[in-house]
Amino acid sequence: MLELFAAGFASVFTLASMFMITLGVFVGIIFGSIPGLTTTMAVALCLPLTFGMPPAIAMSLLMGLYIGGTSGGLISAILINIPGTPASVATCWDGHPMASRGEAGKALGAGVVFSFLGTLLSIVALVFIAPPLAEFALLFGPVEYFALALFALTMIGTLAGKQLAKGIVVGLLGLILAFVGMAPIDAFPRFTFGIHDLDGGFDILPALIGLFAVSEILSVAESDFALKKENVLTKFKMKGFGFSVKEFLGQMYNMFRSALIGIGIGILPGIGAGTSNIVAYSVAKSQDKHPEKYGTGCLDGVVASETSNNASIGGAMVPLLTLGVPGDTVTAMILGGLMIHGLTPGPLLFISNGVVVYGIFASLIIANFVMLIMEFFGIRVFAKLLSVPKHILLPVIFALCVVGAYGLNNRVFDVWVVMLFGVIGYVLNKLKFPTSPMILGIILGPMAETGFRRGMQMNEGNFWLFFTRPIGVFFFFATVFMIVFTAVGNVRNRRKEEARA
Amino acid sequence: MKKKYWDLASGIVLFAFSIVLFVGAMNVKTLEVSTFGSGFFPKVVAVMLAFASLAIIFGGIKTARAEAEAEADKGNPRWKAVLATFAIMVAYAALMPFAGFMITTALYLFLQINILSEGRHRRPLLFVGVSLVTSVGIYYLFVKAFNLMLPAGILG
């Protein structure tokens, strides 16, 4: 492992890689901090840059974007009370009150430092969990992948929140969209309507770009959002990191707890920083002796939110690298980015491309330090950039999305796919359907179907033999458990609401 | 249509779609030998979608019956802007293979920026400048520095 680590670091310690990491973190922070622009968008937009690069350099850019973007959201959360990305929703709750009473420097300092520490802890977890898990996953056959995909699909319940039926529908729509193209095993095209460009199915990248970038532009067109001048608090003092050693030590327990929550939620397929920051915040609040101080501007809230959202980074990379199941939307994009370079994430990646995997670890570590330094010294610059006019920025982003989609296969067809998914995303948003379950459907659908049909072939059409595989059985039970758990929770919530009404 | 009927309507559309999908799945070509061919999963998903859309329909009936709650309207959605945006995006993709990336991108950017800025903050000169510089910049950056192919069109 140490040798691979050394090789990984060596592959990243080049001028090109370092430049790409720095660029990635910089762009990431900008996208993270400007409300309406997300980390997923930043990755979508920078992917075409990576098409011609060697994989190691491409990955350093993407890792920089991921870390910068996840952390950058804290700037707008604290300074204008609007989360830059869903990952910083809970940061607003205490960060902005702190800023309004003149402690913006302290809130920002704490946010930056604990983002850094959260990421660091999660990378440590990633480095220790991923290789053994990958080795274990080598034992997985089609039955196990089928069971794993089923289990991962139950995460839709968690993503859907209160609107379980809507979440399930969107997940199913994702599955359906993934049916288009050549079927697994017998390779007959289905649902292509005779369009040959569809024989290969929809590429993940144009689909994601459409769902998460283009639908956003349509939404902005609809509202006046683009024109609002946000009130940016630009007058604040920053002395060091803004908090004392004593305050720092007082947050240790909170930090470790929030980091664990972040890592755990990150590892679960499909959900990531957008969920973990809120969970960590509510856990911190409920375990505190003085829950009433939360929301009034207490440091603990900022620490919980910012530690956990960044801790989800390392967590989300675990299932992506070891099983090929993305931990959240950004890692879904990164999955697409890896595939462009012919790298299929999964246990074999660790054997066939160990250096790339450890290069990814190394890039994450370096990007984390770059993020710390850049946010510490450049926070004022990023705060100024918050007022870049969005009516100019968004069209440029769309043009870059088009470049990315076109460059994928050198065909305009993929640009049409971007638009199709943009419209789907916009309509879903409009009708108040959550969009993120769709990615789970698109990515896990083929995995489940291929696993199922291969498994059936292996077992000569006897489904019951699936239950002779212990790891598979474990995931089947986990699936049933998750379904029951979600259903019971849903009914309980509804009763509560009815009791209140 | 009033907002409170949206759920009901989308549920009905989804239900109809699940039937279409099921019928489509019955006609999927597959190897004769396997019982669970390429049509099997689509059929299962169609059935699940039918059930889920029924749940949405029932939920939709409930919301439709409930007194119209004070809908927090965030002002009128600018449908014109949405449609215009969609129209120029379609035109952008349709014209790109013929007119080339640079020309279509510059045009798209200019029109899109105008649509989004709707009346206020209009600074035509700045917008023209941004559109031209960005489209030419992106083209040369990607084609020359990153070896990506982009349609050159009539300029090529």
Side-chain angles (χ1 to χ4, degrees):
Chain A
M1 187 169 141
L2 271 178
E3 284 160 39
L4 274 168
F5 227 118
F9 262 104
S11 76
V12 179
F13 273 131
T14 61
L15 205 60
S17 271
M18 292 310 231
F19 175 73
M20 283 302 156
I21 291 176
T22 315
L23 178 75
V25 173
F26 181 71
V27 174
I29 297 173
I30 294 176
F31 272 70
S33 62
I34 297 180
L37 307 186
T38 59
T39 319
T40 320
M41 239 189 232
V43 175
L45 180 101
C46 289
L47 270 174
L49 294 174
T50 69
F51 290 172
M53 294 176 188
I57 298 178
M59 284 305 122
S60 19
L61 176 65
L62 298 184
M63 294 307 119
L65 287 167
Y66 194 10
I67 289 186
T70 312
S71 160
L74 70 93
I75 300 172
S76 48
I78 292 168
L79 294 180
I80 51 180
N81 201 21
I82 300 173
T85 65
S88 313
V89 172
T91 310
C92 293
W93 298 338
D94 278 299
H96 190 67
M98 280 177 82
S100 351
R101 68 162 186 252
E103 293 181 347
K106 188 174 170 184
L108 288 168
V112 172
V113 169
F114 284 96
S115 283
F116 169 78
L117 293 171
T119 316
L120 201 62
L121 287 171
S122 81
I123 298 171
V124 172
L126 169 69
V127 171
F128 281 101
I129 296 172
L133 186 60
E135 212 155 289
F136 178 64
L138 279 174
L139 302 172
F140 284 22
V143 175
E144 283 78 10
Y145 274 106
F146 169 63
L148 171 72
L150 281 193
F151 168 69
L153 280 169
T154 60
M155 288 300 140
I156 289 173
T158 327
L159 276 175
K162 277 182 196 163
Q163 304 209 294
L164 190 57
K166 287 187 168 182
I168 292 172
V169 163
V170 176
L172 291 171
L173 289 178
L175 286 171
I176 293 167
L177 288 163
F179 286 147
V180 177
M182 268 189 293
I185 316 292
D186 55 21
F188 281 118
R190 41 177 187 182
F191 306 114
T192 56
F193 309 100
I195 302 169
H196 285 299
D197 277 328
L198 276 177
D199 284 350
F202 295 112
D203 251 305
I204 308 172
L205 286 176
L208 286 176
I209 294 173
L211 271 180
F212 294 97
V214 176
S215 65
E216 188 67 38
I217 298 173
L218 288 169
S219 304
V220 171
E222 175 203 307
S223 66
D224 261 343
F225 178 64
L227 295 168
K228 265 182 215 148
K229 278 251 164 183
E230 272 100 10
N231 271 326
V232 185
L233 255 168
T234 38
K235 281 181 190 161
F236 54 85
K237 276 183 195 157
M238 240 180 133
K239 233 189 196 174
F241 283 116
F243 52 85
S244 65
V245 177
K246 200 178 151 213
E247 280 172 313
F248 176 74
L249 292 175
Q251 294 297 337
M252 278 300 108
Y253 177 64
N254 185 8
M255 176 185 89
F256 279 109
R257 180 185 52 211
S258 307
L260 278 181
I261 293 172
I263 295 167
I265 288 180
I267 290 176
L268 288 175
I271 53 176
T275 313
S276 67
N277 73 95
I278 295 169
V279 174
Y281 183 90
S282 24
V283 170
K285 187 175 171 179
S286 66
Q287 287 196 357
D288 206 284
K289 279 178 209 144
H290 306 281
E292 70 281 355
K293 67 181 186 184
Y294 283 79
T296 60
C298 77
L299 196 62
D300 309 59
V302 176
V303 171
S305 172
E306 280 309 316
T307 309
S308 65
N309 66 12
N310 275 69
S312 293
I313 293 177
M317 293 300 289
V318 171
L320 172 75
L321 291 175
T322 56
L323 302 166
V325 177
D328 62 4
T329 44
V330 187
T331 39
M333 281 281 186
I334 296 174
L335 172 73
L338 281 163
M339 307 263 253
I340 292 171
H341 292 282
L343 303 167
T344 314
L348 287 174
L349 187 67
F350 283 75
I351 297 170
S352 59
N353 288 84
V355 177
V356 174
V357 174
Y358 283 85
I360 289 176
F361 295 165
S363 309
L364 281 168
I365 295 171
I366 297 167
N368 197 28
F369 279 98
V370 174
M371 179 271 285
L372 180 72
I373 296 165
M374 209 181 267
E375 283 192 353
F376 181 65
F377 289 106
I379 205 107
R380 269 165 223 283
V381 179
F382 292 113
K384 283 235 170 68
L385 283 174
L386 285 178
S387 39
V388 171
K390 251 167 282 167
H391 55 280
I392 293 178
L393 208 52
L394 281 170
V396 174
I397 289 171
F398 179 71
L400 286 165
C401 288
V402 167
V403 174
Y406 182 88
L408 210 53
N409 297 310
N410 288 325
R411 53 178 193 179
V412 178
F413 179 75
D414 287 309
V415 179
W416 291 110
V417 176
V418 166
M419 279 182 223
L420 171 73
F421 278 84
V423 172
I424 293 176
Y426 174 71
V427 171
L428 289 175
N429 273 335
K430 215 55 230 160
L431 297 173
K432 302 210 165 66
F433 281 68
T435 41
S436 23
M438 189 168 276
I439 317 168
L440 281 183
I442 293 178
I443 291 169
L444 296 170
M447 191 168 160
E449 190 177 8
T450 314
F452 174 77
R453 293 185 61 190
R454 278 213 190 115
M456 287 305 257
Q457 277 183 332
M458 265 171 38
N459 295 319
E460 281 150 17
N462 186 349
F463 181 70
W464 300 111
L465 287 179
F466 276 36
F467 292 95
T468 56
R469 312 268 309 189
I471 304 169
V473 170
F474 169 76
F475 280 118
F476 284 130
F477 271 112
T479 308
V480 174
F481 172 77
M482 271 310 288
I483 292 172
V484 173
F485 180 75
T486 314
V488 169
N490 208 272
V491 170
R492 209 178 274 163
N493 276 342
R494 198 168 298 164
R495 288 229 180 102
K496 245 190 225 164
E497 257 170 44
E498 270 165 21
R500 225 180 277 156
Chain B
M1 190 164 41
K2 279 185 186 163
K3 254 189 188 159
K4 61 176 186 172
Y5 294 119
W6 280 8
D7 275 5
L8 183 57
S10 47
I12 293 170
V13 171
L14 285 164
F15 188 76
F17 177 60
S18 70
I19 295 173
V20 174
L21 179 68
F22 194 88
V23 175
M26 290 203 297
N27 297 320
V28 165
K29 252 202 264 173
T30 190
L31 287 176
E32 294 287 329
V33 282
S34 59
T35 353
F36 299 98
S38 302
F40 176 66
F41 252 63
K43 276 184 217 160
V44 173
V45 171
V47 172
M48 287 165 74
L49 183 64
F51 278 106
S53 52
L54 281 179
I56 290 181
I57 292 175
F58 285 123
I61 292 173
K62 245 192 213 166
T63 35
R65 275 208 192 129
E67 286 302 308
E69 284 165 45
E71 268 171 25
D73 261 321
K74 295 180 210 155
N76 282 332
R78 306 186 298 173
W79 293 119
K80 256 197 234 160
V82 177
L83 285 178
T85 298
F86 185 61
I88 59 169
M89 282 180 177
V90 169
Y92 180 28
L95 292 176
M96 193 187 294
F98 310 108
F101 179 84
M102 267 193 279
I103 296 179
T104 45
T105 303
L107 277 174
Y108 163 76
L109 285 176
F110 181 71
L111 293 171
Q112 183 73 79
I113 294 171
N114 268 298
I115 292 169
L116 291 183
S117 60
E118 213 183 49
R120 287 158 288 175
H121 300 278
R122 274 227 172 123
R123 297 163 66 187
L125 263 182
L126 172 76
F127 292 177
V128 170
V130 169
S131 309
L132 283 177
V133 171
T134 321
S135 69
V136 174
I138 292 177
Y139 185 83
Y140 281 104
L141 178 72
F142 280 95
V143 173
K144 299 287 175 210
F146 291 98
N147 296 322
L148 215 68
M149 300 267 284
L150 287 173
I154 43 179
L155 291 182

